[in-house]
């Protein structure tokens, strides 16, 4: 029944694993009984499964054991962690209108937690980005000389942008600010001849204004014509080195919220348009600026950044903190040449600064409106929770349930949302320790960029209720001790369950009461027997404890020389075995149960090709590798997986066709070519049929660096449809050809047959000839007469009437 509950409960997969392992361990070792608890509070700290009985001799045990031994439930101290909802207004569906100031995008809004160390409790948070929410957009532009074309392009940006944004929200305000860099060497030209005109002597563009750090030219307003007016007035400047002072400007635009005019009840978008990289913290030392940025607003009466030449550039950490604190989404609009510097493998500002996106800006900013709209839609399509003022002694585990209804353990964000979609997060919390009595803590959970937040207050259940009835000098303790929760705490010089023995009273010595079993050493050889109980020796290695001094806190398994990995707060040594904190398992508590590092970009554990062991993927699919087993050229589904990226990246089709999903899911390098090289044994040839019945071919391989490389044909191979007349002629011709061939074969066979018969006739004819001498019918004549004589004889006979 317990296993069934664990497997069906949607938010308890991690808890199920930990509890199962713990339950298996307690079958062989009852940590409650083997502990050194001498008071109710000590018992509760041993394990969240331990309970204290006020009416039994052996008081610290599992609660079910105490009940079996006859202790009534009302005499058992076993507090549990609980959560209570204090404020729970329903989610809103629309942002603008008469109720815009009461828009609710997170539910609940306030809860309280009462935590017992090690005992986990959970609560659910729902988030819904509402439709038609007010938007404040502040356009922060680089006015260095290279941005001259961009300045000309955006002179009518305000009107056009307002028209596009009205399609997304009916409540839109626009502001404008500019920056260049610190007006000091080596960042800018500071020689006297450049004081008024840094472009002096620069033939391509001889006139420009002096460098400056940041200027707020137009606070947020719904009068977009004012934006166009301010842009018309601006002129570019010139700085000396390639990087700009943009981070100075971003920080001032974020923290000077009253001067900029950020509304509490609006989305805050800060568009940062530049064609180069920014200066970072410590760059200011080149100019002698050693004072770190204080994160404060320093705009003077002219709305200019007055501390530009006094403090260093802000760090990424400070920048991210202030942007999140003021609920600002930062949009980097940068040229393609510098895109990899803002969102690359070495520098990835989107990963270091929460709530940040990077979009590619045309050389002359022609696509700035579409860029802003796309970035806004991307921002609105995702929800990510952040935790503020997180107490160090609390463990938080997140499970996200996004629009597809699947629970993803270890994730705190959902993407590809539509306006009005509701997502939920199950958050499990447990405390690792007990602070001093009466301590209360709090933290805040909020979606990145939202004003809405969930306030969580925390108190600790480390005390037992029975301590309220403590009696000093109680008669139950021989008037020599304090009675609390069923036990006596003896005064100095007294010992025994009821403080009935004085130290050194040898007459009361009973050694059998100090042996764990017959034949074993008194007090396990690690203590002395006094007043029928063991008093354990002190050890330089740690604490020796237990009824018979059988336990200690230094004989457990170690990891890298650290007992139960305790230096990293993974566990504690308890009576020879490691008692792991929540989130860790194993003999030495070095194995993390956290699965977030194992979740691949598609939301699956180890890409479905392995299992998560100790927070790392162990790939079981042959040929799979990578941190999340995401790389597998030889896997059956490798071609199908990469096909989606080929379709969206090259042809803008397929289920990843929208820009945000394609960029998030498809980060492999794709090379297009006219012909494919399939001779390389390390590559896999993939083919698939397109919607137009063409065949697309590509190869999939992995570099030694681990980077996936896809080589694809520029266009699919499409076979042309056959011509009907050609097919007809080919069929007729084939039939005629076959007929002629058959006639030729027939003629050849007849000819051969006739020639054989003729030869046979000739042979028979030749055999039918006879020689004259050998003819049996022929006889040699007896006499011969000349012809003339014969003729004369016939003549005479005739004339003489002779007949």
């Amino acid at each position: 029944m317990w296993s069934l509950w664990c497997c069906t409960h949607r938010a308890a997969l991690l808890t199920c694993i930990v509890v199962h392992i713990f339950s298996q361990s307690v079958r062989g070792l009852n940590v409650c009984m083997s502990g050194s608890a001498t008071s109710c509070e000590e018992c509760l700290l041993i394990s969240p499964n331990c309970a204290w009985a006020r009416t039994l001799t052996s008081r610290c045990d599992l609660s079910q054991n105490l009940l079996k031994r006859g202790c009534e439930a009302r005499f058992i101290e076993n507090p549990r962690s609980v959560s209570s909802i204090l404020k729970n207004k329903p989610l809103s569906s629309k942002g603008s209108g008469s109720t815009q100031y009461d828009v609710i995008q997170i539910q609940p809004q306030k809860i309280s937690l009462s935590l017992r160390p090690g005992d986990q409790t959970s609560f659910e948070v729902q988030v819904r980005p509402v439709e038609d929410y007010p938007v404040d957009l502040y356009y922060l532009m680089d006015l260095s000389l290279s941005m001259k074309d961009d300045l000309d392009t955006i002179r009518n940006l305000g009107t056009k942008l307002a028209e596009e944004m009205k399609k997304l929200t009916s409540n839109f305000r626009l502001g404008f600010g500019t920056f260049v860099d610190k007006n000091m060497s080596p960042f800018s030209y500071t020689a006297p001849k450049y004081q008024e005109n840094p472009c002096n002597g620069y033939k391509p563009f001889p006139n420009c204004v002096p460098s400056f750090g940041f200027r707020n030219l137009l606070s947020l307003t719904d009068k977009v014509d004012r934006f166009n007016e301010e842009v018309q007035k601006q002129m570019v400047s010139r700085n000396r080195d390639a990087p700009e002072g943009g981070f100075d400007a971003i920080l001032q635009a974020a923290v000077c919220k009253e001067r900029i005019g950020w509304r509490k009840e609006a989305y805050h978008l800060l568009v940062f348009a530049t064609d180069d990289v920014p200066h970072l913290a410590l760059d200011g030392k080149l100019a002698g600026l050693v004072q770190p940025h204080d994160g404060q607003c320093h705009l003077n009466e002219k709305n200019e950044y007055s501390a530009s030449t006094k403090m260093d550039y802000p760090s990424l950490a400070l920048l991210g903190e202030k942007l999140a604190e003021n609920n600002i989404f930062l949009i980097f609009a940068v040229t393609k040449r510098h895109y990899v510097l803002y969102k690359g493998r070495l520098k990835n500002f989107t990963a270091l600064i929460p709530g940040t996106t990077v979009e590619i800006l045309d050389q002359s900013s022609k696509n700035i409106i579409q860029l802003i709209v796309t970035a806004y839609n991307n921002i609105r399509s995702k929800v990510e929770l952040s935790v503020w003022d997180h107490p160090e002694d609390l463990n938080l585990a997140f499970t996200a349930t996004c629009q597809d209804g699947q629970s993803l353990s270890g994730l705190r964000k959902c993407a590809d949302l539509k306006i009005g979609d509701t997502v939920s997060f199950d958050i499990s919390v447990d405390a690792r320790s007990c602070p001093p009595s009466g301590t209360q803590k709090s933290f805040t959970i909020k979606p990145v960029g939202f004003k809405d937040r969930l306030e969580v207050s925390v108190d600790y259940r480390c005390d037992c209720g029975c301590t309220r009835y403590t009696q000093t000098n109680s008669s139950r303790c021989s008037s020599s001790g304090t009675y609390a929760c069923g036990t006596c705490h003896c005064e100095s010089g007294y010992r025994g369950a009821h403080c009935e023995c004085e130290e050194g009273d040898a007459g009361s010595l009973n050694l059998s009461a100090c042996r764990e079993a017959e034949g074993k050493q008194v007090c396990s050889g690690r203590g002395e027997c006094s007043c029928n109980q063991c008093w354990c020796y002190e050890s330089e290695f740690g604490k020796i404890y237990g009824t018979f001094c059988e336990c200690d806190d230094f004989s457990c398994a170690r990891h890298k020389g650290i007992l139960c990995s305790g230096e990293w707060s993974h566990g504690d040594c308890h009576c020879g075995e490691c008692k792991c904190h929540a989130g860790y398992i194993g003999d030495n508590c070095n194995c993390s149960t956290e699965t977030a590092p194992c979740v691949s970009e598609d939301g699956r554990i180890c890409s479905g090709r392995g299992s998560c062991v100790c927070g790392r993927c162990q790939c079981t699919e042959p040929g799979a590798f990578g941190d999340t087993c995401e790389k597998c050229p030889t896997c059956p589904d490798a071609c199908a997986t990469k096909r989606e990226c080929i379709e969206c990246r090259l042809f803008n089709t397929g289920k990843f066709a929208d820009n945000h999903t394609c960029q998030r899911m498809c980060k492999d390098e794709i090379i297009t070519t006219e012909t494919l090289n399939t001779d390389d044994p390390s590559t896999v040839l993939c083919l698939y049929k397109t919607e137009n019945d063409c065949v697309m071919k590509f190869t999939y391989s992995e570099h030694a660096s681990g980077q996936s490389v896809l080589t694809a044909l520029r266009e699919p191979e499409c076979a042309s449809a056959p011509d009907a007349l050609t097919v007809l002629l080919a069929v007729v011709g084939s039939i005629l050809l076959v007929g002629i061939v058959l006639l030729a074969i027939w003629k050849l066979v007849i000819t051969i047959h006739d020639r054989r018969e003729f030869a046979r006739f000739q042979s028979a004819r030749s055999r039918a000839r006879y020689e004259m001498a050998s003819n049996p019918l022929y006889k040699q004549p007896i006499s011969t007469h000349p012809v003339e004589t014969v003729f004369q004889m016939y003549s005479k006979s005739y004339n003489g009437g002779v007949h």
Side-chain angles (χ1 to χ4, degrees):
M1 187 67 183
W2 170 254
S3 298
L4 179 63
W5 184 89
C6 277
C7 296
T8 57
H9 197 275
R10 75 187 191 96
L13 178 59
L14 179 60
T15 307
C16 181
I17 295 173
V18 175
V19 171
H20 174 71
I21 294 172
F22 179 80
S23 64
Q24 294 294 324
S25 65
V26 297
R27 290 176 185 174
L29 172 66
N30 188 333
V31 294
C32 306
M33 292 286 290
S34 61
S36 59
T38 59
S39 67
C40 181
E41 285 75 11
E42 290 181 5
C43 177
L44 299 185
L45 286 175
I46 292 175
S47 166
N49 294 312
C50 293
W52 179 265
R54 304 202 301 265
T55 60
L56 297 178
T57 304
S58 181
R59 304 177 185 281
C60 190
D61 200 347
L62 301 175
S63 58
Q64 60 266 32
N65 291 346
L66 295 176
L67 292 171
K68 289 178 182 179
R69 287 161 49 196
C71 184
E72 297 182 25
R74 60 194 180 97
F75 295 122
I76 297 177
E77 296 285 341
N78 188 22
R80 312 311 303 170
S81 295
V82 294
S83 61
S84 302
I85 298 177
L86 304 180
K87 186 177 181 181
N88 192 28
K89 292 184 178 180
L91 294 171
S92 303
S93 59
K94 196 169 184 179
S96 293
S98 59
T99 61
Q100 66 176 350
Y101 299 103
D102 299 321
V103 171
I104 304 297
Q105 297 183 97
I106 186 171
Q107 182 184 16
Q109 297 81 41
K110 185 179 293 186
I111 66 171
S112 66
L113 301 177
S114 186
L115 302 178
R116 173 181 172 179
D119 185 33
Q120 191 177 81
T121 187
S122 62
F123 56 91
E124 185 182 60
V125 176
Q126 291 186 325
V127 181
R128 178 194 296 163
V130 300
E131 179 186 358
D132 195 22
Y133 198 72
V135 175
D136 287 346
L137 189 149
Y138 192 81
Y139 192 84
L140 185 57
M141 184 175 181
D142 177 4
L143 276 192
S144 58
L145 188 57
S146 56
M147 294 287 286
K148 180 181 182 299
D149 294 340
D150 303 74
L151 182 61
D152 295 336
T153 302
I154 70 163
R155 294 199 183 274
N156 294 314
L157 173 66
T159 304
K160 297 177 182 178
L161 183 58
E163 291 175 356
E164 289 297 321
M165 291 301 293
K166 283 181 180 178
K167 300 176 183 178
L168 305 174
T169 176
S170 61
N171 194 336
F172 176 69
R173 298 200 311 169
L174 186 63
F176 182 54
T178 58
F179 68 91
V180 183
D181 206 345
K182 296 181 183 298
N183 192 15
M184 57 192 308
S185 183
F187 310 123
S188 299
Y189 292 93
T190 57
K193 67 176 182 177
Y194 297 123
Q195 288 293 325
E196 298 299 326
N197 181 13
C199 297
N200 187 7
Y202 184 64
K203 293 182 180 180
F205 194 79
N207 296 304
C208 57
V209 299
S211 297
F212 56 91
F214 165 66
R215 288 174 181 164
N216 174 33
L217 300 173
L218 177 66
S219 298
L220 291 162
T221 177
D222 55 2
K223 297 177 175 59
V224 295
D225 291 340
R226 291 281 312 282
F227 181 94
N228 298 336
E229 293 173 5
E230 289 299 330
V231 174
Q232 296 288 342
K233 300 175 185 177
Q234 303 311 306
M235 291 183 60
V236 294
S237 181
R238 186 189 184 195
N239 60 323
R240 193 167 192 171
D241 57 351
E244 322 289 4
F247 277 9
D248 270 344
I250 292 175
L251 185 65
Q252 293 304 297
V255 299
C256 300
K257 48 189 177 182
E258 289 81 11
R259 305 287 288 276
I260 300 298
W262 298 113
R263 292 177 293 178
K264 184 178 180 181
E265 64 288 344
Y267 275 113
H268 301 159
L269 304 183
L270 178 57
V271 179
F272 179 80
T274 184
D275 64 347
D276 221 312
V277 296
H279 276 296
L280 303 176
L282 301 182
D283 286 357
K285 288 189 175 182
L286 296 173
L289 300 178
V290 296
Q291 181 182 350
H293 205 291
D294 59 7
Q296 301 299 316
C297 177
H298 294 282
L299 289 185
N300 58 23
E301 64 279 357
K302 297 181 180 179
N303 272 334
E304 293 184 357
Y305 178 39
S306 59
S308 177
T309 58
K310 299 176 182 178
M311 289 187 293
D312 192 9
Y313 299 97
S315 65
L316 287 171
L318 178 62
L319 203 61
E321 176 187 341
K322 295 302 178 182
L323 288 170
E325 184 180 304
N326 294 282
N327 307 318
I328 295 175
F329 289 105
L330 177 60
I331 303 172
F332 284 117
V334 299
T335 54
K336 186 175 182 180
R337 183 166 62 96
H338 293 95
Y339 179 83
V340 294
L341 296 176
Y342 283 83
K343 191 175 184 179
R345 293 182 180 273
L346 297 179
K347 286 184 179 180
N348 189 347
F349 292 154
T350 59
L352 298 173
I353 306 176
T356 302
T357 59
V358 180
E359 299 291 343
I360 297 177
L361 181 69
D362 286 347
Q363 289 294 336
S364 60
S365 298
K366 291 184 295 184
N367 68 328
I368 186 64
I369 293 179
Q370 184 58 43
L371 180 152
I372 293 173
V373 172
T374 300
Y376 175 73
N377 288 329
N378 288 340
I379 290 170
R380 294 299 309 273
S381 69
K382 62 185 177 183
V383 169
E384 180 177 1
L385 296 186
S386 62
V387 181
W388 289 72
D389 302 322
H390 182 186
E392 295 181 357
D393 63 334
L394 296 186
N395 291 321
L396 271 67
F398 292 79
T399 299
T401 303
C402 301
Q403 70 277 14
D404 56 4
Q406 295 184 355
S407 296
L408 301 175
S409 178
L411 293 185
R412 60 172 73 181
K413 65 179 178 179
C414 289
D416 302 327
L417 303 178
K418 296 179 181 178
I419 300 301
D421 284 349
T422 302
V423 296
S424 62
F425 301 88
D426 192 89
I427 305 172
S428 300
V429 186
D430 67 271
R432 292 194 295 267
S433 61
C434 271
S437 179
T439 299
Q440 289 190 335
K441 297 183 180 180
S442 63
F443 61 93
T444 301
I445 296 175
K446 56 178 292 188
V448 174
F450 286 55
K451 73 175 180 65
D452 306 77
R453 63 187 63 204
L454 167 62
E455 298 177 0
V456 183
S457 58
V458 182
D459 60 53
Y460 297 81
R461 307 192 72 175
C462 300
D463 298 327
C464 296
C466 55
T467 56
R468 291 175 294 179
Y469 308 105
T470 299
Q471 301 175 3
T472 58
N473 297 322
S474 173
S475 58
R476 298 181 182 183
C477 302
S478 305
S479 300
S480 301
T482 300
Y483 182 79
C485 296
T487 60
C488 287
H489 300 277
C490 301
E491 296 177 0
S492 178
Y494 292 88
R495 294 180 179 179
H498 302 285
C499 306
E500 71 276 15
C501 298
E502 294 187 41
E503 292 183 2
D505 186 2
S508 63
L509 188 62
N510 183 3
L511 297 180
S512 62
C514 297
R515 287 190 176 94
E516 189 173 4
E518 189 65 30
K520 289 196 173 183
Q521 289 182 296
V522 174
C523 299
S524 303
R526 303 200 295 181
E528 62 179 21
C529 184
S530 176
C531 198
N532 301 332
Q533 61 180 347
C534 289
W535 299 90
C536 304
Y537 298 140
E538 292 185 359
S539 172
E540 60 181 324
F541 301 108
K543 181 181 179 181
I544 300 174
Y545 57 91
T547 305
F548 307 102
C549 302
E550 72 278 12
C551 296
D552 61 59
D553 60 2
F554 53 82
S555 298
C556 296
R558 298 173 181 266
H559 175 64
K560 295 183 178 180
I562 305 300
L563 198 67
C564 300
S565 307
E567 187 171 301
W568 298 283
S569 299
H570 292 180
D572 301 311
C573 181
H574 189 79
C575 202
E577 290 203 16
C578 289
K579 178 177 172 291
C580 302
H581 294 157
Y584 297 94
I585 57 175
D587 292 339
N588 51 21
C589 302
N590 69 317
C591 184
S592 172
T593 59
E594 177 65 41
T595 59
C598 299
V599 177
S600 56
E601 290 189 352
D602 59 4
R604 296 185 296 169
I605 298 293
C606 300
S607 304
R609 301 182 181 127
S611 55
C612 189
V613 179
C614 295
R616 300 185 65 181
C617 280
Q618 290 187 358
C619 304
T620 55
E621 181 80 21
F625 63 99
D627 292 340
T628 58
C629 305
E630 73 281 5
K631 301 180 184 300
C632 186
T634 59
C635 289
D637 61 340
C639 290
T641 302
K642 300 302 179 182
R643 167 186 172 176
E644 305 294 345
C645 295
I646 292 290
E647 289 183 334
C648 77
R649 290 274 296 277
L650 297 186
F651 309 111
N652 197 29
T653 60
K655 67 180 183 180
F656 294 163
D658 64 284
N659 187 47
H660 174 69
T661 304
C662 191
Q663 289 184 1
R664 178 171 59 87
M665 300 296 293
C666 304
K667 300 179 181 178
D668 300 330
E669 178 184 1
I670 299 180
I671 302 172
T672 56
T673 181
E674 298 293 341
T675 58
L676 288 178
N677 178 19
T678 60
D679 298 332
D680 189 352
S682 64
T683 63
V684 177
L685 177 62
C686 301
L687 303 92
Y688 69 89
K689 194 174 183 180
T690 67
E691 297 177 353
N692 301 325
D693 292 332
C694 299
V695 176
M696 185 62 192
K697 298 180 180 179
F698 64 94
T699 59
Y700 171 30
S701 62
E702 299 284 346
H703 277 172
S705 62
Q707 181 184 11
S708 300
V709 178
L710 303 177
T711 304
L713 293 177
R714 297 187 189 279
E715 297 292 339
E717 294 180 351
C718 300
S720 58
D723 182 67
L725 180 61
T726 302
V727 173
L728 179 62
L729 293 176
V731 172
V732 173
S734 299
I735 294 174
L736 291 175
L737 179 61
V738 171
I740 293 172
V741 170
L742 290 176
L743 286 173
I745 294 173
W746 179 82
K747 179 64 177 175
L748 179 61
V749 171
I750 294 301
T751 301
I752 294 173
H753 179 270
D754 289 348
R755 286 184 178 180
R756 286 180 179 176
E757 291 299 320
F758 180 74
R760 192 179 300 160
F761 169 76
Q762 288 291 84
S763 176
R765 183 180 178 188
S766 63
R767 287 196 302 271
R769 294 177 181 174
Y770 302 99
E771 296 293 339
M772 289 294 186
S774 61
N775 191 345
L777 301 179
Y778 177 76
K779 289 186 178 182
Q780 187 70 21
I782 299 174
S783 61
T784 60
H785 297 277
V787 176
E788 294 85 356
T789 303
V790 174
F791 180 77
Q792 289 175 0
M793 290 175 62
Y794 276 102
S795 297
K796 290 178 177 180
S797 297
Y798 182 80
N799 294 329
V802 179
H803 298 282

